[in-house]
Amino acid sequence: MRTIILSVLCCSTMSWAAEPPAVWSPDLMVSGTMVTSVAVSPDGNQIAYVQVSAVMTEDESTYRNTIYVAPADASTRQRFTYGKQSASNPRWSPDGLWLAYTATQPEGKSNLVIIPSDGGGPRILTDVKSGVGDFRWSPDSTTIAYLLPDEPSEAKEAREKAKDDPIVLDTDYTYQHLWLVALPDDRDEPQPQRLTEGSFHVGHSFAPGFDWSPDGKFIAFSHTRTPELNDWPTANISIVSIATSEVRPFQQSDSAESSPKYSPDGKSIAFGVSNFPPSYIRQARVGVASTDGKHLKLLAKTPDENPQLIGWQNGNMLVIAEGARTTTALYRLPVGGGDPKRFDNAQGLIGSVRLNTTGSHLGLTLMDSTTPQEAYFTSLRSYVPKQVSESNSHQPDLVLGTTEVLRWASTDGEEIEGLLTYPVGYEPGTRYPLLLVIHGGPAGYFTQSFIAYPRSLYPLAAFAVAGYAVLRVNPRGSGGYGYQFRQANYNAIGEVVTSKTSWQGSIT
């Protein structure tokens, strides 16, 4: 199989390199454009998004991120960032006057930058070597909280320069913590201030999230014991005082808690909470508790039991995103009780979902198997996504293989689903070679993404051009089909097992 795949790739590149592409090839796929981080302004009138483009020259081979801003009517698109920097994660200030983002230079140095919302010169707020991570505006738009790794110790830097064996366990951890920077006057220099410190890690990639209280006096944040990848099950949530830097626990249990979101009135915090014991198979609920950590209530289960908490629509409703078979679903989850209600139109694969600061609009990306990714926004009151980007308008209009969702019964009657991409020019009744593509995860799953997506692990569009049918199966153990299906092959490949987890660790 590996020999066949490599032959297809090599032949495709060699055949079409000397002339304009007439069909999809791996190199053409890589040159496509991706869109992410769609941010709607507080009043819903402007939409910022990041366009990710391939840069392939004699000197560079990389992806570069550029921020664009479009009005709600999508009549124009203004480029906000230039040069060799990669600009990421745009966020509007709550008063709508500023757009903040992180700018990463070619050498890898990432810093926090603001730019007036009506355009103008950018202003750098940080100058750090280790690189700024995620960030959030304060409710009054005067301060930004951001994540910053500590500087490594001299001993650790020496080991890294000596290129010691990377397999050796290194317990000299470089923790990440919260910092603050106030927007300075025009003539003043920014003065970043550290907010948290200690032997814990804020903003683990598998247990992220921090949020300002509505009055701007506190930040709730998720933290883990160490930055180690496998330490995400130790995630808990604490609250830090902006005035004193005093940290107090909010949720500390044997489950993993993350993604805290303050309610609009500041009296409660919603957050994600895992089952007990936590595992990579992921089973989670949304919990809500008062800010003193008491009166914890677990809300209704979502269909896949792996919700991504987007935010509060109002004081009584939360917005959730979650995998749904081969697509993505958006739900409203009542805080007072009741099942989640899906409110998207079940068309296209939704990504990069963000709620604006006023809770009125969502920014998101959409694509499907034959349509490339673009930026959209919608009112939260009524889901009617409107496209605002044209990031892939430069792509040639080439024929794609058709993709179909197939369902069949396994030997025990369990329904299994897969995606079959037909070869270009498919004729019913004709036999074609079949490539079986397997996902990892361990609980990953195939979705109805654009088959010429630039960062696809396999060049599906090129395979279809070369005359192959491609089958991508979501077998037992895949995500998107509920927890029981996701854990059905846990420690028992080819067998069916029942869950041995519980919610006890979260409730006590």
Side-chain angles (χ1 to χ4, degrees):
M1 180 67 73
R2 182 175 299 172
T3 302
I4 293 174
I5 293 173
L6 290 176
S7 298
V8 172
L9 295 178
C10 294
C11 292
S12 299
T13 303
M14 291 174 62
S15 300
W16 302 319
E19 59 186 22
V23 292
W24 285 104
S25 63
D27 53 342
L28 181 59
M29 289 177 59
V30 170
S31 69
T33 302
M34 297 164 286
V35 178
T36 186
S37 303
V38 185
V40 184
S41 62
D43 59 9
N45 290 330
Q46 295 188 90
I47 299 89
Y49 59 92
V50 175
Q51 182 172 297
V52 185
S53 305
V55 178
M56 292 178 286
T57 66
E58 292 183 358
D59 301 323
E60 290 185 281
S61 178
T62 187
Y63 284 104
R64 183 161 296 141
N65 299 354
T66 304
I67 294 175
Y68 287 81
V69 175
D73 63 6
S75 57
T76 60
R77 290 158 195 89
Q78 181 181 359
R79 182 171 177 172
F80 260 50
T81 59
Y82 294 86
K84 288 190 174 184
Q85 67 173 354
S86 257
S88 304
N89 197 16
R91 293 187 181 275
W92 299 95
S93 60
D95 61 12
L97 298 179
W98 297 93
L99 188 65
Y101 60 93
T102 52
T104 304
Q105 301 301 327
E107 66 271 16
K109 187 177 181 180
S110 178
N111 277 289
L112 190 61
V113 180
I114 58 172
I115 191 169
S117 59
D118 57 358
R123 185 163 190 190
I124 300 173
L125 296 184
T126 62
D127 183 14
V128 297
K129 181 174 69 173
S130 52
V132 171
D134 201 5
F135 65 91
R136 296 288 187 277
W137 284 93
S138 64
D140 63 3
S141 302
T142 64
T143 306
I144 297 177
Y146 60 95
L147 296 176
L148 183 67
D150 293 340
E151 295 291 340
S153 67
E154 292 182 1
K156 185 165 188 171
E157 283 191 323
R159 287 195 301 272
E160 292 176 349
K161 288 180 180 179
K163 297 182 179 179
D164 288 346
D165 187 352
I167 299 177
V168 175
L169 181 63
D170 185 359
T171 57
D172 184 9
Y173 296 117
T174 301
Y175 295 102
Q176 183 169 253
H177 280 280
L178 282 166
W179 286 65
L180 301 174
V181 61
L183 269 63
D185 295 332
D186 291 341
R187 297 181 180 180
D188 296 334
E189 291 297 318
Q191 300 294 326
Q193 296 181 336
R194 186 177 186 127
L195 184 61
T196 63
E197 59 182 330
S199 297
F200 59 90
H201 187 77
V202 183
H204 192 286
S205 57
F206 280 11
F210 62 93
D211 194 35
W212 287 83
S213 62
D215 60 10
K217 295 181 178 180
F218 302 95
I219 291 178
F221 63 96
S222 177
H223 55 91
T224 51
R225 183 176 55 194
T226 77
E228 291 283 352
L229 185 66
N230 288 329
D231 252 359
W232 70 266
T234 68
N236 291 312
I237 297 174
S238 294
I239 296 174
V240 59
S241 167
I242 301 301
T244 66
S245 297
E246 180 183 355
V247 175
R248 62 178 173 85
F250 168 68
Q251 293 294 317
Q252 316 277 312
S253 78
D254 294 328
S255 295
E257 295 95 2
S258 61
S259 303
K261 304 282 187 183
Y262 272 94
S263 61
D265 63 7
K267 296 180 179 180
S268 302
I269 298 176
F271 57 97
V273 53
S274 77
N275 56 356
F276 172 74
S279 80
Y280 279 97
I281 298 175
R282 296 285 189 166
Q283 184 185 26
R285 300 269 286 276
V286 175
V288 177
S290 55
T291 54
D292 60 4
K294 299 178 180 179
H295 312 294
L296 171 63
K297 177 170 61 175
L298 293 175
L299 304 187
K301 293 181 181 180
T302 51
D304 194 43
E305 295 188 66
N306 192 18
Q308 177 192 357
L309 179 56
I310 305 301
W312 292 77
Q313 180 173 355
N314 52 48
N316 302 311
M317 195 74 65
L318 292 163
V319 179
I320 304 295
E322 186 173 69
R325 305 178 77 89
T326 58
T327 64
T328 312
L330 299 176
Y331 298 96
R332 292 188 178 94
L333 183 60
V335 175
D339 293 332
K341 303 294 183 184
R342 185 170 182 175
F343 67 88
D344 66 285
N345 58 13
Q347 295 180 12
L349 182 65
I350 302 171
S352 296
V353 184
R354 283 191 181 186
L355 183 64
N356 68 346
T357 56
T358 53
S360 62
H361 290 79
L362 288 175
L364 52 103
T365 61
L366 280 172
M367 61 177 164
D368 60 34
S369 59
T370 59
T371 307
Q373 189 178 48
E374 296 289 354
Y376 290 75
F377 82 107
T378 179
S379 166
L380 193 52
R381 183 173 300 177
S382 176
Y383 182 82
V384 183
K386 181 175 181 178
Q387 183 177 334
V388 293
S389 68
E390 288 187 350
S391 299
N392 283 283
S393 59
H394 66 286
Q395 285 284 16
D397 186 15
L398 302 178
V399 178
L400 289 161
T402 301
T403 299
E404 180 183 359
V405 179
L406 300 181
R407 299 180 181 90
W408 61 92
S410 185
T411 54
D412 63 348
E414 180 75 55
E415 183 179 80
I416 306 297
E417 196 168 64
L419 296 168
L420 177 63
T421 299
Y422 293 89
V424 172
Y426 169 76
E427 295 181 3
T430 304
R431 293 174 63 87
Y432 294 88
L434 177 70
L435 296 178
L436 183 62
V437 175
I438 309 299
H439 73 66
Y445 58 105
F446 288 116
T447 59
Q448 297 179 51
S449 58
F450 183 45
I451 66 168
Y453 189 67
R455 285 186 175 169
S456 296
L457 183 60
Y458 297 97
L460 304 178
F463 288 159
V465 165
Y468 289 88
V470 184
L471 180 62
R472 293 168 287 161
V473 180
N474 287 333
R476 260 180 274 251
S478 301
Y481 298 84
Y483 177 69
Q484 292 303 321
F485 189 87
R486 189 162 53 249
Q487 60 86 48
N489 64 353
Y490 181 63
N491 283 337
I493 298 297
E495 303 175 23
V496 179
V497 298
T498 57
S499 173
K500 296 181 181 179
T501 59
S502 72
W503 294 99
Q504 182 179 359
S506 304
I507 297 174
T508 57

